[in-house]
């Protein structure tokens, strides 16, 4: 199956700093999503981005499908950005529209 | 308000006991999913259902069972065959065939006594 690797595993920032999270995947995909899990466990879909670039406020994401990686940018970080950021991909094989493979996540801590 | 509810928030299981986790959605989604999350790990798919009365095994279905008798409900039973059930369980729903529209519930933490 598809392998998903995220880096760094942990990241500590001061409020106001910028950061870049990376997701590498081992095969071609037709779906790539970034999620944020808050400290209480709630998972929120940030971006659906199988290719190209998208922006939503202070967050933006870029996926280079031909090189099998995606980047999540967080600018002017706030303490509420703390939590775990997951990358998840869906492959091109049959049934892939129903399945996501998750990376292990990046644990982000933003200190005031 | 539309959304997904999971109950209970915390659940304790004794050795050899079956327990059932509830998941209900009022988003009118056809598809529903169950994931397991272990500390420091990503989510792994247990079961998914694209339509009522139909469901398929995910990557780690052993020791779990599900039913899909109603569109709104997708309960997960953790059986005594699941030897290491302590984990955080997340339910999700989406439009059929569009996993990118997945919306997640708040989760249930299962602990074995």
């Amino acid at each position: 199956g598809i392998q998903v690797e995220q880096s760094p595993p942990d990241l500590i920032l001061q409020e106001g700093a910028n950061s870049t999270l990376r997701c590498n995947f081992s095969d071609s995909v037709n779906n790539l999503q970034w999620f944020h899990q808050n400290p209480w466990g709630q998972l929120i879909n940030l971006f659906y981005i199988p290719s190209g670039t998208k922006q939503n406020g202070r967050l933006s994401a870029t996926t280079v499908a031909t090189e099998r990686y995606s980047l999540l940018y967080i600018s002017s970080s706030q303490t509420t950005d703390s939590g775990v950021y997951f990358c998840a991909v869906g492959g091109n094989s049959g049934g892939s529209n129903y399945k996501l493979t998750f990376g292990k996540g990046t644990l982000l801590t933003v200190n005031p | 308000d539309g959304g997904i509810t999971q109950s209970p928030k915390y659940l304790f299981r004794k050795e050899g006991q079956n327990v059932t986790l509830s998941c209900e959605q009022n988003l009118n989604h056809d598809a529903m999913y169950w994931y397991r999350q272990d500390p420091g790990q990503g989510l792994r798919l247990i079961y998914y259902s694209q339509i009522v009365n139909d469901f398929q095994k995910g990557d780690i279905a052993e020791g779990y069972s599900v039913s899909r008798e109603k569109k709104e409900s997708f309960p997960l039973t953790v059986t005594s065959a699941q030897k290491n059930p302590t984990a955080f369980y997340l339910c999700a729903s989406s439009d059929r065939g569009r996993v990118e529209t997945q919306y997640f519930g708040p989760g249930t933490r299962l602990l074995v006594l």
Side-chain angles (χ1 to χ4, degrees), chain A residues 17-59:
Chain A
N18 302 329
S19 61
T20 302
L21 283 57
R22 186 177 180 103
C23 172
N24 293 332
F25 44 95
S26 62
D27 204 347
S28 60
V29 298
N30 57 16
N31 179 10
L32 188 143
Q33 294 177 251
W34 284 96
F35 294 89
H36 175 232
Q37 186 172 41
N38 68 22
W40 297 271
Q42 181 69 54
L43 210 68
I44 301 296
N45 187 356
L46 298 175
F47 292 104
Y48 166 65
I49 186 165
S51 63
T53 298
K54 290 186 179 180
Q55 181 161 2
N56 184 4
R58 296 180 296 102
L59 274 60

Side-chain angles (χ1 to χ4, degrees), chain A residues 2-96:
Chain A
I2 296 175
Q3 305 298 313
V4 181
E5 293 185 1
Q6 292 187 241
S7 60
D10 301 278
L11 185 59
I12 300 175
L13 300 175
Q14 286 299 121
E15 199 167 25
N18 302 329
S19 61
T20 302
L21 283 57
R22 186 177 180 103
C23 172
N24 293 332
F25 44 95
S26 62
D27 204 347
S28 60
V29 298
N30 57 16
N31 179 10
L32 188 143
Q33 294 177 251
W34 284 96
F35 294 89
H36 175 232
Q37 186 172 41
N38 68 22
W40 297 271
Q42 181 69 54
L43 210 68
I44 301 296
N45 187 356
L46 298 175
F47 292 104
Y48 166 65
I49 186 165
S51 63
T53 298
K54 290 186 179 180
Q55 181 161 2
N56 184 4
R58 296 180 296 102
L59 274 60
S60 64
T62 295
T63 297
V64 183
T66 53
E67 297 186 22
R68 300 180 185 170
Y69 74 89
S70 182
L71 302 173
L72 178 69
Y73 305 95
I74 305 174
S75 64
S76 304
S77 59
Q78 301 175 357
T79 56
T80 52
D81 294 331
S82 296
V84 183
Y85 289 81
F86 289 106
C87 171
V89 303
N92 281 318
S93 59
S96 61

Side-chain angles (χ1 to χ4, degrees), chain B residues 29-97:
Chain B
H29 283 159
D30 286 312
M32 297 188 74
Y33 311 78
W34 274 106
Y35 292 91
R36 169 178 172 144
Q37 184 179 19
D38 294 285
Q41 302 295 315
L43 281 65
R44 292 182 291 168
L45 184 65
I46 305 173
Y47 270 97
Y48 62 97
S49 167
Q50 293 298 303
I51 198 168
V52 174
N53 293 323
D54 187 44
F55 49 83
Q56 286 78 40
K57 293 181 179 180
D59 296 322
I60 55 166
E62 185 175 354
Y64 300 97
S65 66
V66 294
S67 63
R68 187 83 188 278
E69 297 176 0
K70 298 187 300 182
K71 184 176 182 178
E72 300 79 17
S73 178
F74 192 39
L76 174 74
T77 297
V78 184
T79 74
S80 57
Q82 172 50 242
K83 298 307 179 186
N84 185 22
T86 296
F88 186 51
Y89 292 87
L90 286 157
C91 178
S93 68
S94 76
D95 292 325
R96 185 181 182 187

